[in-house]
Every structure is written in C-alpha cells, then in structure tokens.
Amino acid sequence: MIAKVSCAALMGIDAFKVDLEVDLTRQGMPAFTMVGLAEGAVKESKERVFSALKNSGFRLPPSRITVNLAPADIRKAGSAYDLPLAVALLGAAGIIDSAALEGWYLAGELSLSGGVKPVHGVLPLAIEARRKGAKGLIVCPENVNEAAVVEGLDVYGVATLAELVSFLVGDSSITPSRVDTSMLWEGRRNFSTDFAEVKGQEHAKRAIEIGAAGNHNILFIGPPGSGKTMLAQRIPTVLPPLLFEEALEVTKIYSVSGQLDRDRSLVVTRPFRAPHHTISDAGLIGGGAYPKPGEVSLAHRGVLFLDELPEFKKNVLEVLRQPLEGGEVTISRAAMSLSYPADFMLVAAMNPCPCGYYTDDRHVCSCSPQAVARYSSRLSGPLLDRIDLQIEVPAVDYKDLRESKGLDSATMRSNIERVRDIQAERYKGMPILTNSELSGSSLEKFCRLTDSEHTFLEQAVHSLGLSARAYTRILRIARTIADLSESANIQVHHLAEAINYRSMDRQGV
C-alpha cells in the first residue's frame, strides 16, 4: 500500500514542496530503502522513527518498505522529515486513512519516545505551505508561533506522535494557533543605550544621521578611546523600525540558520552583528559543504559592524565587495549555487596606525611612516570606494566630557524617519528604497546638478583624484544631505559636506 505526505525542503532561505511517499508491501524479505537524494540526518531518521512508533504504541508488520522523497534530484537534509515519515508509514500500514493525510504539511524531529522536537526553517516552510494551498501545517509546540505569523494558514502544534495520530483519525481536536503580529512591535523602541550618552563627537553623530537616513556605509577613523565603538553600538537606536515584509525576510534568515529565539515568532528589530576580526571568509559571507547564511546575511536590513577593520584578513574583507554592491551574496559549490540576501549598512572602525595615535595631538605615535603605510594598505581601494562616509573621530576634549549633551537618539531618529518617508515617496513604484541604491539613470534623474554644482564637483574630482565610484558615492550622500535639509535640489554646500565625509580621499591631496 502507498501513502503520501507533504513536507518541504530548504533551498537558501526559501522552501519547496517535497512529496514523501511510502510503499509498504509484505512481498519479499523485510527491508527499508530510502531514495530521493537524502543526506545523513534524513537517512538516520529510520532508527528514530521506528523507535518512536514502537514507544508510541504502534506496530508495523514485517514489510518491504520503500521511501521516496520527490523531487528526487534535489538534496534533502535535516531532521524535519521524521514526523512526515512516521505518519506516512502509518498511512501505508492502514493505521491512518490515506485520505486523511491529504492537504497537510508536516515538519518535526522525533525523539525515541515519540515526542516531537523543533526544527529549523519552519517560517519558509509555512510560507510555501500557504502558497500551495495547504489544509494546515503541523509542527511541534515550540515552532508554532514562528509559523503562525503567516496569515491564511492554520498551524497546529503537537507534542507527541500519538497526539498527532489521534488528531488525524478524528479521535481528538486541536485548536489552530494564532499570533497577533501587531503586538510583536510593542516595546521595540526600548533600547538600553542612547546617543545622549556619547559626549562630544557631534560631527560623527551628524555623519551617522546621514548614513542611517540614506543607508550609507560608514568608516570611523580615530585613536583608541575616541568613542568609535560606542557610536557604532548606538546606531540601531536611530534606525526606522522594520516593516512587516522586511521582518519576514530577516526572520527567514535566522530561522534557516537556527538562530531564531524560540520565545519570539518574528525578528522585529533591525539586526546588529559584530563579528570578531578572526572570522573566516565562510563565516562572514556564508558557506560550508551545504551553504549556510553568514554574518552579512544575518545583518540583512540592519547593521554589520566590523571593529578594527585592518585586523581582518584581506581575503575576508575582499569578499564584502559583492554584497556591498548588489545587496546579496551568491555562494557556489559543486553541488549547488545559492543566493542569500545581504542588504546591510556596513559600519567599520579603525585606528589611523598600528599604535593608534598617528592623528592624536596628545600622544606620540611610535609608528614609522612605512608601518603607517602598510597598515593603511590592508584596505584596498575598491573596498574603501564602497564605503560612503569616511569619518575622522578625534579624541574627546575634557570640556566635552564634562558639559556636552548633544543629540539624543529620539531627535536623530525623528530626522531619519522623516528622510526615509521622503525617499519612500520619491521612489514609489521603483525597486529603490534609499538613496544609497541610486545608480545609472536613476542617479542622473534624482541627483541633477546645475552648472555651478558641476564645476565645483569637477574641481574636487580632479584635485582629490576621485574614482568614478567615489563620484557616485558623493552624489548619493549629497542627495541625503539635501533631503535632511528638505531641499528638492542638490546645492554646492551639500556637495561640499559630502566631500568632507571622504577623509581617506582627502588624505591624498
């Protein structure tokens, strides 16, 4: 007898339908065969499933069992197939009517005692089940809230295999779970830090305001103790809240990577990732034999903070070029090629030299000119060109430490959200969200300059030796500065301020 159950496999951060078919026959010697490009954890499910069935009170007759996972040419991995396999076996054995299995999607790992355990990637699985018009999705209670954020899909939580069988045969009922998504955003502004705590550095705060408003990348350059890390850690406090669709994107990434907290069904605050400089290129960009998301994808729609930037391995930094330019990263392996979203705001910090005091008037730099040059050369020109705002962060004066209050996060956030609204209206109907994405014809359309602005910018390009990419960055920054001042057109003083934020270019004058 043949029984079929629907489940799903992950490819990147999306899921695709898998039909798990079981053929159980008493002809021939008892055997168990699984086909359909199943990986190790899937093949091992046989032992878990048979123990779970036995300890849940179900007995299968000695049979020749063939399991097929279709489509058979795409890899299946993970332990989420335990639950659908157990149910399909019971359907093939006649314990559950095969008609009762139609339309249901199942996912869950089984313990030897028959308990149902949580698995990764339930959110994309739920989205795929809704797209296919499923009757409902059945998972363990720990995965219920994650799946229930998908509207238009009934999600049921079962703690044991026996409970699921009782539900499918009609002996008991389970109420589908509901999640009030509007409540998930409550308290999202309760940050423990604030820019008001940063003494002085008003120039850097202004740059952060511009960077956050237009989603521009930022590099802080200054001596130790000047507040670079402190500034970066407070950037999430001024970023606009995630929209629901953005929250779904981010949550899918955390779900498939296994980093979604079980007590929250949706990631509603913008991520802030700060990997150590010893990270590998695979850890940063993603990878493995079967690629998993890296830090650049975990920072999607949020902030990726790289402290002590020159201390990162050069090959690690160079892999940032693709996501910084295209907002996604493609990982190719012999078996497959996967793309993960990686649209983040890069915030980096570095000292001006190995000892850190090259630009500090109060300390003597112990580095030779050659050592300073070698230190700076760790960052390639193409990488620096992709960082819009390069900000000098000097040591804080004692007067500022004692008296300065400066901008707080609430004020900065209000300005940033106002500019984001301006951009949303300007780019309505276009595949552009912020000024940092302007390029080609859209750059010419929304960053038009008069003759006086062109003359000023031409002089700056020649005197600073700016690349074509740096020229584009300056126009994007100037567009954001103009939006902050509620100016429809880019003016000379907007360009001048934008150029002032390219400190690495100005060092070559």
Side-chain angles (χ1 to χ4, degrees):
M1 183 175 179
I2 296 177
K4 184 173 75 172
V5 171
S6 295
C7 49
L10 297 173
M11 181 171 288
I13 64 167
D14 296 313
F16 62 92
K17 182 183 178 183
V18 171
D19 290 324
L20 192 154
E21 302 171 310
V22 171
D23 179 25
L24 189 150
T25 177
R26 297 191 183 186
Q27 297 178 355
M29 293 292 292
F32 183 93
T33 305
M34 180 177 287
V35 296
L37 211 58
E39 295 302 317
V42 184
K43 291 181 178 179
E44 291 173 355
S45 65
K46 168 193 170 185
E47 309 302 331
R48 292 190 297 271
V49 168
F50 277 102
S51 291
L53 288 170
K54 180 189 67 174
N55 293 318
S56 298
F58 302 107
R59 295 288 185 271
L60 297 180
S63 310
R64 187 175 187 85
I65 299 171
T66 303
V67 179
N68 179 43
L69 300 169
D73 60 340
I74 301 178
R75 178 188 70 93
K76 317 330 183 278
S79 57
Y81 301 94
D82 290 7
L83 190 62
L85 175 57
V87 171
L89 285 169
L90 293 174
I95 297 173
I96 302 176
D97 187 351
S98 295
L101 304 179
E102 294 179 3
W104 292 103
Y105 275 65
L106 295 92
E109 178 183 329
L110 286 175
S111 68
L112 300 183
S113 62
V116 184
K117 295 183 176 182
V119 293
H120 301 159
V122 168
L123 178 59
L125 191 157
I127 294 173
E128 174 66 7
R130 181 185 63 180
R131 191 178 72 84
K132 292 293 187 179
K135 182 189 300 183
L137 171 65
I138 300 174
V139 293
C140 79
E142 290 88 344
N143 283 140
V144 162
N145 287 340
E146 178 186 342
V149 300
V150 179
E151 296 181 356
L153 176 71
D154 288 335
V155 179
Y156 299 82
V158 294
T160 65
L161 176 60
E163 180 184 353
L164 172 58
V165 173
S166 177
F167 171 66
L168 291 175
V169 299
D171 291 341
S172 63
S173 62
I174 303 174
T175 303
S177 298
R178 295 283 184 268
V179 172
D180 186 354
T181 55
S182 63
M183 299 292 292
L184 298 176
W185 270 262
E186 287 193 358
R188 67 182 184 274
R189 289 302 189 196
N190 297 333
F191 294 103
S192 60
T193 57
D194 195 284
F195 270 106
E197 300 162 352
V198 180
K199 304 299 183 181
Q201 306 297 8
E202 296 305 306
H203 176 67
K205 290 183 184 180
R206 166 69 173 173
I208 289 172
E209 196 172 60
I210 295 168
N215 200 38
H216 302 289
N217 303 318
I218 301 176
L219 171 62
F220 296 121
I221 309 162
S226 58
K228 303 185 296 295
T229 303
M230 190 176 186
L231 287 164
Q233 291 173 339
R234 281 154 180 76
I235 291 177
T237 68
V238 300
L239 294 175
L242 284 171
L243 302 176
F244 181 73
E245 290 302 321
E246 291 178 321
L248 279 180
E249 286 181 358
V250 175
T251 306
K252 283 166 67 176
I253 297 170
Y254 278 75
S255 178
V256 300
S257 63
Q259 297 195 39
L260 182 66
D261 294 339
R262 296 300 180 196
D263 59 348
R264 64 174 176 174
S265 51
L266 206 62
V267 178
V268 296
T269 56
R270 294 189 181 270
F272 181 87
R273 306 293 298 188
H276 193 261
H277 63 258
T278 56
I279 192 172
S280 66
D281 53 353
L284 186 64
I285 213 75
Y290 297 100
K292 292 283 188 176
E295 289 292 333
V296 296
S297 295
L298 293 170
H300 183 60
R301 301 299 185 194
V303 175
L304 177 67
F305 177 48
L306 303 182
D307 202 2
E308 304 295 344
L309 187 64
E311 301 299 331
F312 285 79
K313 296 175 184 176
K314 194 162 188 176
N315 67 302
V316 173
L317 293 179
E318 292 308 305
V319 298
L320 284 172
R321 292 193 195 181
Q322 183 194 15
L324 285 176
E325 201 67 27
E328 68 174 14
V329 58
T330 301
I331 306 169
S332 298
R333 294 291 182 269
M336 66 182 67
S337 180
L338 295 177
S339 292
Y340 289 109
D343 186 4
F344 56 88
M345 177 181 174
L346 175 64
V347 180
M350 63 177 285
N351 296 328
C353 66
C355 78
Y357 296 112
Y358 182 64
T359 58
D360 192 350
D361 296 334
R362 295 178 295 181
H363 294 82
V364 177
C365 176
S366 60
C367 305
S368 66
Q370 293 82 3
V372 175
R374 282 196 303 270
Y375 188 73
S376 299
S377 68
R378 295 181 186 179
L379 306 179
S380 67
L383 177 62
L384 288 174
D385 276 348
R386 288 170 168 81
I387 299 178
D388 304 4
L389 302 164
Q390 302 160 358
I391 313 302
E392 293 180 354
V393 184
V396 183
D397 290 334
Y398 180 78
K399 181 180 179 181
D400 289 331
L401 289 174
R402 189 182 69 174
E403 299 178 0
S404 176
K405 290 185 179 180
L407 282 173
D408 60 17
S409 292
T411 303
M412 295 173 67
R413 183 166 60 246
S414 176
N415 294 334
I416 290 165
E417 290 181 347
R418 172 172 52 83
V419 174
R420 288 291 183 108
D421 290 340
I422 292 173
Q423 293 171 84
E425 183 63 29
R426 178 191 297 138
Y427 306 130
K428 184 182 294 184
M430 300 177 64
I432 298 174
L433 295 177
T434 59
N435 293 330
S436 65
E437 301 172 38
L438 291 172
S439 62
S441 59
S442 62
L443 188 73
E444 295 179 3
K445 178 179 179 181
F446 297 111
C447 298
R448 289 177 179 167
L449 304 179
T450 64
D451 290 341
S452 60
E453 282 89 33
H454 272 300
T455 301
F456 175 82
L457 191 52
E458 182 181 6
Q459 293 174 346
V461 168
H462 288 312
S463 62
L464 297 174
L466 300 176
S467 67
R469 186 176 282 114
Y471 162 81
T472 300
R473 302 283 174 184
I474 288 171
L475 284 180
R476 293 171 178 171
I477 297 166
R479 178 66 270 170
T480 303
I481 294 171
D483 289 342
L484 278 166
S485 61
E486 298 186 354
S487 172
N489 301 312
I490 297 175
Q491 300 174 15
V492 170
H493 66 277
H494 299 143
L495 291 169
E497 185 178 358
I499 293 170
N500 190 48
Y501 293 128
R502 301 286 301 181
S503 65
M504 300 291 279
D505 298 325
R506 291 186 283 109
Q507 287 175 5
V509 177

